[in-house]
Amino acid sequence: MSEGGLSTKTVQAPAKVNLFLRVLELRSDGYHELETLILPISLADRLEIHADADPSFRTLAFSLEVTGDDDLVERVPRDEANLVVRACLALARRTGVHGFADISLEKRVPVAAGLGGGSADAAAALWALNDLWGCGLGPVGLRDVGASVGSDVPALMVGGPVLARGRGERVEPAPMRPLSLVLVTFPFSVSAAEAFRCWDQAGGPTGPDPAAVLDPGSEVEALAASLFNDLEEPMTRLHPEIGRAKRTLLEGGALGAAMSGSGPTVYGVMPGPTVRLEARAEREIAGLSGRPPGYVTSTGHKP
Ligand code: C5P
């Protein structure tokens, strides 16, 4: 989605949940071989990008401003740890452009929460800058740049439900029904590296065949009953709140629940867009996580 003048674009960067996440093995390069279903959701950051490139520019200039709630903004890195910065530099390096990019990032997605917020920002920035800078990369080339930025970036460049394999960079669209979800986010972050280390230390459990989640004809009850995440159990041992949030979601009306990505966010699948958790469960979640549960829908489905 974009709007604006010739050299300015405003784009949404939808977060994601993982409907299943299977860790298959630790690879010799330190990454883990994965199989995961990534579903974009209506919770999104917003980027306003003003950029231009031209052979008459002699350098590449870049600026990043971050706005949003204080507790979110203070946790967004401004250096190369920020995936938007990395995406911008990687695209410029790949295509040799000279010019500028001034990016204003309105942050709404919790940071390092398993929701892919930083990766979504990078994915949105790559699409927009490819256009504004006139780089001319196609989807495959652009996803390749995305993979050099982070494992989740190529999947979030697709703009709909995706089955991701390899370290996450091998992606294919996965048609599925729209879902109504409820999110439990926490005031603490975890790094993906830490979550995968926990999986290694737990002896590397691998979950079941995810056929029911992948079948676009599955009823929502069957799909919700089949959610799983191989990183969840090891992470729950480290942060028991994750397990308590999941139990509360299931007791409060969710059809199924799981941790998203490397956590700590836990999501539940609700029977429909207007259905809320029981009031008691909403209160328990607010007490556990310090914030009310957030109701969202999945996005990017083909009509
Ligand atoms: O690729 P990305 O920078 O997002 O990965 C962050 C960290 O998460 C990696 O350094 C690695 O420790 C871990 N990771 C992994 N296997 C994956 C993806 C990420 O071990 N498939």
Side-chain angles (χ1 to χ4, degrees):
M1 256 182 286
S2 78
E3 57 196 53
L6 265 185
S7 60
T8 302
K9 273 181 183 287
T10 301
V11 289
Q12 300 289 327
K16 58 83 180 169
V17 295
N18 300 72
L19 287 188
F20 71 84
L21 192 157
R22 244 178 151 195
V23 189
L24 301 173
E25 59 173 354
L26 171 61
R27 307 187 331 187
S28 56
D29 62 2
Y31 282 92
H32 292 74
E33 193 70 14
L34 298 182
E35 193 180 29
T36 184
L37 186 59
I38 294 181
L39 184 65
I41 57 174
S42 52
L43 175 65
D45 291 338
R46 184 172 163 278
L47 289 86
E48 192 178 293
I49 304 184
H50 182 56
D52 203 357
D54 190 296
S56 67
F57 287 104
R58 295 174 59 175
T59 57
L60 179 77
F62 178 78
S63 74
L64 176 67
E65 175 197 54
V66 186
T67 61
D69 288 348
D70 288 348
D71 65 325
L72 280 181
V73 170
E74 68 195 18
R75 291 155 77 181
V76 177
R78 308 301 156 92
D79 58 7
E80 273 203 56
N82 187 303
L83 299 190
V84 172
V85 179
R86 257 196 254 171
C88 179
L89 294 177
L91 183 62
R93 227 173 275 136
R94 173 75 62 103
T95 57
V97 296
H98 285 168
F100 70 88
D102 295 326
I103 300 186
S104 175
L105 168 60
E106 189 183 322
K107 201 73 197 154
R108 296 186 194 131
V109 180
V111 178
L115 293 170
S119 305
D121 297 342
L126 284 174
W127 279 118
L129 286 171
N130 186 47
D131 205 16
L132 292 170
W133 281 346
C135 299
L137 290 185
V140 174
L142 211 50
R143 278 206 300 271
D144 199 38
V145 178
S148 76
V149 173
S151 301
D152 275 346
V153 178
L156 291 168
M157 296 182 77
V158 173
V162 163
L163 178 62
R165 295 200 173 92
R167 70 176 167 89
E169 85 289 9
R170 284 189 359 240
V171 296
E172 60 185 90
M176 62 168 304
R177 66 174 64 240
L179 293 177
S180 302
L181 304 166
V182 56
L183 303 181
V184 182
T185 58
F186 292 94
F188 60 92
S189 305
V190 295
S191 77
E194 181 187 8
F196 282 102
R197 249 192 329 269
C198 285
W199 184 87
D200 294 337
Q201 285 159 6
T206 295
D209 188 315
V213 192
L214 282 171
D215 179 355
S218 281
E219 293 301 325
V220 67
E221 290 79 8
L223 182 147
S226 309
L227 309 171
F228 69 91
N229 180 341
D230 288 338
L231 300 174
E232 182 180 306
E233 201 185 297
M235 287 307 287
T236 302
R237 248 175 266 151
L238 204 61
H239 299 288
E241 302 93 314
I242 293 170
R244 285 205 288 275
K246 181 169 169 171
R247 276 196 301 281
T248 307
L249 286 175
L250 293 172
E251 286 163 13
L255 299 174
M259 186 180 83
S260 181
S262 45
T265 300
V266 180
Y267 67 90
V269 173
M270 299 303 288
T274 56
V275 186
R276 295 287 182 265
L277 294 168
E278 288 170 15
R280 182 191 48 79
E282 289 198 338
R283 280 196 302 276
E284 264 179 49
I285 284 166
L288 187 63
S289 69
R291 53 192 81 176
Y295 293 92
V296 299
T297 52
S298 61
T299 63
H301 298 275
K302 296 257 165 13

